[in-house]
Amino acid sequence: MDVAGQFTLTGKTAFITGGGGGLGVAVAEAYLASGASVVISDVDADKVDAAVKGLESKGTVIGAPCDVTDAASVADAVAKAEVALGKIDILMTAAGFARRTAAVDLEPEEFDRIMAINVKGTFLPAQAVARGMIARGQGGKIITIGSVRGLVGHPLGYVSYGTSKGAVHLLTRQLATEWAQHRINVNCIAPSVIKTPLADFILKTAEVRDLFMSRIPFNRPAEPEEFVGAAIFLAARASDFVTGHVLFVDGGSTAG
């Protein structure tokens, strides 16, 4: 049995939304190290440029900025990637946004914005990439990003974020069900707290940090590098019979 071959991404192309952020860059570096070519996409073109420059010595990497809430922008970025690299075999939808507001104070505009970025911004790239995968008839891997907040509540104002991530979990299962006939695996990685700018609110204040860490049995946040094993597994042949799954990378947060 070729165990190592189960985890190689040689010859594959991965498209990463939110690729200019800390999590996206960590996954991009891991995919490059595993043999893939990588497309960095982000709404911030400067972040795309910085990520590409930081990674270009490690393998084939290009930038394709887009706004994940805009279908035309997503379609343009996907088309650019397909022209440049021939195909997209792997999609990771790492673009996301968090805002923590008490439910009684939550403005409808904030709720709409977070749902648009986290849910619509997951669906539109998945739809655009899946169209190419279906047309080529070679299958593919789509990896969405959920959260422990999509499964369990929290006292510190997660109405919009938690609801959006719960929707991502179900969206993952729905797409997996629809696209299994095309050999497209759709799975979700649901982390707890990871040391990225998205977690600054949690980690910069001792009282808030202690509250969050008390709900994680490992009693610490994850490093971005601790996320990449799951990202490689769900992108590689090792997960060919895994679809519609939400994999919690959460330090035991959902264990009890």
Side-chain angles (χ1 to χ4, degrees):
M1 180 182 294
D2 179 15
V3 176
Q6 291 285 311
F7 294 91
T8 184
L9 301 179
T10 299
K12 304 295 185 181
T13 297
F15 189 106
I16 304 173
T17 71
L23 187 62
V25 169
V27 171
E29 185 171 3
Y31 282 174
L32 288 167
S34 299
S37 300
V38 171
V39 183
I40 300 290
S41 187
D42 199 289
V43 70
D44 187 331
D46 290 338
K47 285 187 175 181
V48 171
D49 290 342
V52 170
K53 288 177 182 176
L55 294 167
E56 60 188 0
S57 65
K58 302 179 185 295
T60 301
V61 55
I62 67 169
C66 80
D67 175 355
V68 294
T69 69
D70 182 273
S73 178
V74 170
D76 287 346
V78 169
K80 176 183 178 180
E82 290 176 333
V83 168
L85 298 175
K87 59 187 172 61
I88 298 172
D89 306 287
I90 301 155
L91 169 68
M92 172 169 282
T93 60
F97 184 75
R99 182 67 62 83
R100 298 158 188 87
T101 305
V104 294
D105 299 322
L106 183 65
E107 296 291 342
E109 294 79 10
E110 180 182 322
F111 186 87
D112 290 345
R113 183 187 180 202
I114 291 178
M115 292 296 287
I117 294 171
N118 293 352
V119 185
K120 186 179 182 181
T122 296
F123 172 67
L124 290 179
Q127 181 188 54
V129 169
R131 285 171 173 163
M133 290 176 174
I134 292 169
R136 286 187 295 275
Q138 298 173 350
K141 301 292 180 79
I142 294 175
I143 305 163
T144 66
I145 305 300
S147 172
V148 295
R149 298 282 73 82
L151 181 67
V152 293
H154 195 281
L156 292 185
Y158 276 92
V159 170
S160 52
Y161 182 78
T163 301
S164 74
K165 290 303 185 177
V168 168
H169 294 181
L170 186 54
L171 174 63
T172 300
R173 296 184 178 105
Q174 179 61 37
L175 298 181
T177 303
E178 288 194 28
W179 294 342
Q181 63 180 311
H182 303 293
R183 295 189 296 119
I184 298 173
N185 301 64
V186 188
N187 292 291
C188 177
I189 305 175
S192 54
V193 182
I194 302 177
K195 285 185 180 178
T196 67
L198 200 64
D200 283 349
F201 164 84
I202 296 168
L203 301 177
K204 69 182 180 182
T205 304
E207 183 179 358
V208 176
R209 185 185 190 282
D210 290 346
L211 173 61
F212 276 83
M213 295 308 105
S214 71
R215 298 164 71 98
I216 301 174
F218 278 169
N219 196 38
R220 65 173 179 85
E223 299 291 340
E225 293 77 11
E226 293 177 304
F227 180 91
V228 302
I232 292 171
F233 167 65
L234 291 177
R237 287 195 294 120
S239 62
D240 277 357
F241 205 63
V242 179
T243 198
H245 181 64
V246 180
L247 175 55
F248 288 95
V249 180
D250 64 358
S253 296
T254 56

